[in-house]
Amino acid sequence: MSAVSLESVPLTRLRPMQPTDLPEVFTIEQQAYVFPWTLRILQDCLKAGYRAWVLEEGTHLVGYAFLSVAAGEAHLLNLCVDPSYHNRGYGRRLLNHILQLARQYQVDMIFLEVRPSNIPALHLYTSAGFNQIGVRKNYYPHQNGREDALIFGMDLTG
């Protein structure tokens, strides 16, 4: 067994998203999705006061998340990790932070939608304790027309 030098482990930190982060967030969004959110949507989310967080490795932004909180519920609107940083635990770190925030806001339930074709996201959400509670037919744009959204929820009262 070999020890890992602390110098070789990248430093990461979570912080609230700033408007100056949006160009880098938008670049990641475009790299991660065939049908990305527009820069205007990202800007509007910040203006609307959604809880938006970024995850940095050193000085590089590697992921972000948007959370809406209202009326005792939370909705994870977007959680995204730069594709070149996949499979390093960053998505789980962001999700855990979002769940912690939702609990701090004392919400009863948190919801999200996910494409059935997004197998890594499905694994992340189910392994974190989310359960499928419904389907939104033809919700997402797709190369061949439309794709359903699976609706997931988690009870945070227990």
Side-chain angles (χ1 to χ4, degrees):
M1 183 160 135
S2 63
V4 175
S5 165
L6 288 179
E7 290 82 34
S8 68
V9 176
L11 295 177
T12 60
R13 76 176 180 133
L14 282 155
R15 63 171 175 79
M17 186 184 295
Q18 302 299 314
T20 54
D21 295 317
L22 288 176
E24 198 168 359
V25 166
F26 184 55
T27 297
I28 293 170
E29 181 78 9
Q30 290 177 306
Q31 293 170 349
Y33 299 116
V34 175
F35 296 95
W37 281 9
T38 64
L39 182 58
R40 179 61 184 229
I41 291 171
L42 296 167
Q43 292 167 333
D44 287 348
C45 284
L46 276 185
K47 287 179 187 173
Y50 295 142
R51 281 66 173 185
W53 288 80
V54 296
L55 177 63
E56 296 175 313
E57 179 184 90
T59 60
H60 183 71
L61 196 149
V62 298
Y64 54 90
F66 289 92
L67 181 71
S68 169
V69 178
E73 297 179 354
H75 194 120
L76 179 57
L77 302 171
N78 192 341
L79 187 148
C80 184
V81 173
D82 182 327
S84 63
Y85 287 84
H86 282 186
N87 300 312
R88 299 187 194 179
Y90 293 134
R92 186 164 306 280
R93 178 139 188 236
L94 273 166
L95 181 59
N96 287 342
H97 182 71
I98 292 300
L99 292 172
Q100 180 183 8
L101 281 176
R103 287 182 178 101
Q104 287 174 0
Y105 287 111
Q106 299 178 337
V107 302
D108 295 332
M109 290 286 297
I110 183 168
F111 300 97
L112 61 88
E113 289 90 19
V114 62
R115 292 174 182 268
S117 61
N118 191 343
I119 303 303
L122 289 170
H123 174 73
L124 174 66
Y125 298 135
T126 56
S127 69
F130 281 87
N131 295 297
Q132 184 179 340
I133 59 173
V135 175
R136 293 189 200 280
K137 292 299 213 181
N138 301 314
Y139 185 77
Y140 291 112
H142 187 272
Q143 293 92 332
N144 300 324
R146 306 292 295 176
E147 182 176 12
D148 294 345
L150 303 179
I151 305 167
F152 279 77
M154 181 191 292
D155 184 341
L156 296 178
T157 60

